[in-house]
Amino acid sequence: MMEKTEKRKKRLAIVASKGTLDMAYPPFILATAAAAMGWEVAIFFTFYGLNIVNKKKSKKLKVASLANPAAPLPVPNILGVLPGATAAATGVLKSMMKKQNLPSLPEFIQMAKDMGVRLLGCSTTMGVMAVPEENLMEGVECAGAASFLEYASEADVTLFV
């Protein structure tokens, strides 16, 4: 009689390297979708992406209004330098997310944690940018590039967002 072999969970490795509000959502949308499908997931926050899991900076993420040709409203670049343009672009994105009944960024982060998504803060970036470990949100692990590469080496899917 043959024994049933347990199937390994699929694994997703995500690198989040951008620290604007519009770039903070994709890693969490993908991570929570994969976790809901039963996948093992880790997000590696490096360079400006580290701001997403920084207790102080996460609350202040904005959408760049200047040189953002993919923005939903066709605004000439020159208008992006006007006072209030960044706040307006940030408000538009938050409104769009709310209209689609998507969680806010803090809600997405908590949901990901609750679903077992590993949140990894790049220790090298933390050193370069002088970010002390206590500035990271609760549940964020410090990990070097080698640790993440070890995780990603067994990933079925690796994404850079």
Side-chain angles (χ1 to χ4, degrees):
M1 183 165 146
M2 288 185 78
E3 281 188 42
K4 246 186 173 180
T5 56
E6 201 171 307
K7 188 176 178 183
R8 179 180 76 80
K9 280 185 170 187
K10 286 191 176 186
R11 181 181 275 197
L12 172 61
I14 300 173
V15 176
S17 63
K18 296 171 184 70
T20 58
L21 184 61
D22 52 327
M23 293 308 297
Y25 278 100
F28 287 99
I29 292 169
L30 293 163
T32 55
M37 295 167 55
W39 290 30
E40 184 182 339
V41 183
I43 307 172
F44 186 66
F45 298 92
T46 188
F47 282 82
Y48 300 116
L50 196 58
N51 290 343
I52 298 167
V53 291
N54 183 312
K55 287 186 276 194
K56 296 174 183 177
K57 294 184 178 184
S58 183
K59 297 172 187 163
K60 299 174 186 173
L61 298 182
K62 308 234 181 299
V63 176
S65 58
L66 185 62
N68 192 349
L73 301 173
V75 178
N77 269 339
I78 191 68
L79 295 180
V81 299
L82 295 176
T86 297
T90 301
V92 167
L93 178 66
K94 287 180 178 181
S95 173
M96 290 169 56
M97 299 301 276
K98 191 173 186 173
K99 281 183 186 173
Q100 294 301 314
N101 294 315
L102 287 169
S104 66
L105 183 59
E107 291 169 332
F108 254 127
I109 292 169
Q110 188 58 53
M111 188 177 7
K113 288 184 200 177
D114 293 345
M115 297 174 86
V117 173
R118 290 180 65 198
L119 306 178
L120 309 171
C122 176
S123 59
T124 303
T125 299
M126 291 171 68
V128 169
M129 297 187 172
V131 177
E133 192 171 343
E134 58 268 13
N135 283 17
L136 298 181
M137 294 176 176
E138 185 178 322
V140 177
E141 307 168 47
C142 289
S147 295
F148 178 71
L149 289 171
E150 182 65 33
Y151 178 90
S153 72
E154 296 181 24
D156 298 285
V157 178
T158 301
L159 302 171
F160 292 81
V161 294

